[in-house]
Amino acid sequence: MGRMTVHFVGAGPGAADLITLRAASLLAAADVVLYPGTYLDADVLAHCPDARQVDTQRLDLDQLTEVMVAASRAGLEVVRLTSGDPSLYSALAEQTARLDAAGVAWDVCPGVPAYAAAAAAVGRELTVPLVAQSVVLTRTQARSTAMPDSESLAAFAATRATLVLHLAITRTRELAESLVGEYGADCPAVVVHRASQPSELVLRGTLTTIADQVEGAGLKQAAVILVGWALAREGSESWLYQAGRPRSAG
């Protein structure tokens, strides 16, 4: 039996109804689905009720690869779900490298990123004219992979762009204190825990108040931190929609 393609599928921020039509189709056809149980709402798996479902939260990279390669070589349709979108913090690079080495074909289906769901939950645009026109997606150094020397939080903060911090919730107080110098003590800071899921929790504050809220709620994982003045909803109107601006003929 020929080897099948392993599909890396972005499961979105966790809600069962925030996956793409393509993702739903791939899940419905799958024989084996590997999913990150720590981050996804269980209802997502309702899209693949007949598949063998493998929770990956306690599997290492070798074990993950073994399951995917064995299933592919057995002629089974395999979906590897990732939280959010596979282009961010999904370990896609190392997993696909191992599949390449094993001669197993793979492809990628994008998903709704967690930061987009977090912004939607608070009803804010992350880019506001004359306030912030850039968004920095980053994380911090903790027990995970080391950050490159060139990617310090201080360097990003100096731009005063809107910051989106992943995998950083346990360091909220330290991070907030480090950002006050560039953004100001009253700069809006928002934490969204399990964005889009039934257990979603939104904490709104400033760089001086957000850590108390996070610690009071006991948040340890599955949360996104948003920082920046764009969250205050103040700034100029977009030139794109201004009255009197010449319109293209297209």
Side-chain angles (χ1 to χ4, degrees), residues 222-237:
V224 175
I225 305 171
L226 308 175
V227 176
W229 284 103
L231 299 171
R233 211 207 306 251
E234 296 176 354
S236 300
E237 294 183 352

Side-chain angles (χ1 to χ4, degrees), residues 10-76:
D17 60 350
L18 264 184
I19 67 171
T20 66
L21 293 174
R22 183 180 298 179
S25 177
L26 289 169
L27 283 169
D31 299 303
V32 179
V33 174
L34 298 92
Y35 68 96
T38 302
Y39 298 103
L40 293 188
D41 182 54
D43 288 346
V44 173
L45 299 177
H47 292 284
C48 53
D50 299 323
R52 174 191 169 201
Q53 298 172 0
V54 180
D55 189 345
T56 62
Q57 62 180 312
R58 294 184 176 85
L59 300 183
D60 62 28
L61 190 55
D62 288 334
Q63 293 168 324
L64 273 171
T65 304
E66 182 180 353
V67 172
M68 291 188 289
V69 170
S72 174
R73 288 176 175 170
L76 301 177

Side-chain angles (χ1 to χ4, degrees), residues 94-197:
E94 51 262 52
Q95 292 177 74
T96 55
R98 293 190 176 213
L99 292 180
D100 286 342
V104 174
W106 54 271
D107 60 21
V108 179
C109 174
V112 177
Y115 80 86
V122 297
R124 290 293 186 271
E125 182 181 3
L126 303 182
T127 54
V128 174
L130 301 183
V131 176
Q133 289 290 282
S134 301
V135 178
V136 175
L137 308 176
T138 188
R139 64 172 183 80
T140 62
Q141 177 58 46
R143 296 183 298 274
S144 54
T145 306
M147 291 288 289
D149 292 339
S150 60
E151 296 184 16
S152 71
L153 190 58
F156 291 137
T159 68
R160 293 177 63 87
T162 303
L163 294 182
V164 178
L165 293 157
H166 294 262
L167 308 173
I169 195 63
T170 59
R171 300 184 62 194
T172 302
R173 184 171 299 279
E174 175 188 345
L175 294 173
E177 290 174 351
S178 72
L179 294 173
V180 166
E182 292 291 348
Y183 288 89
D186 294 332
C187 179
V190 177
V191 168
V192 183
H193 173 68
R194 296 196 178 280
S196 82
Q197 299 184 36

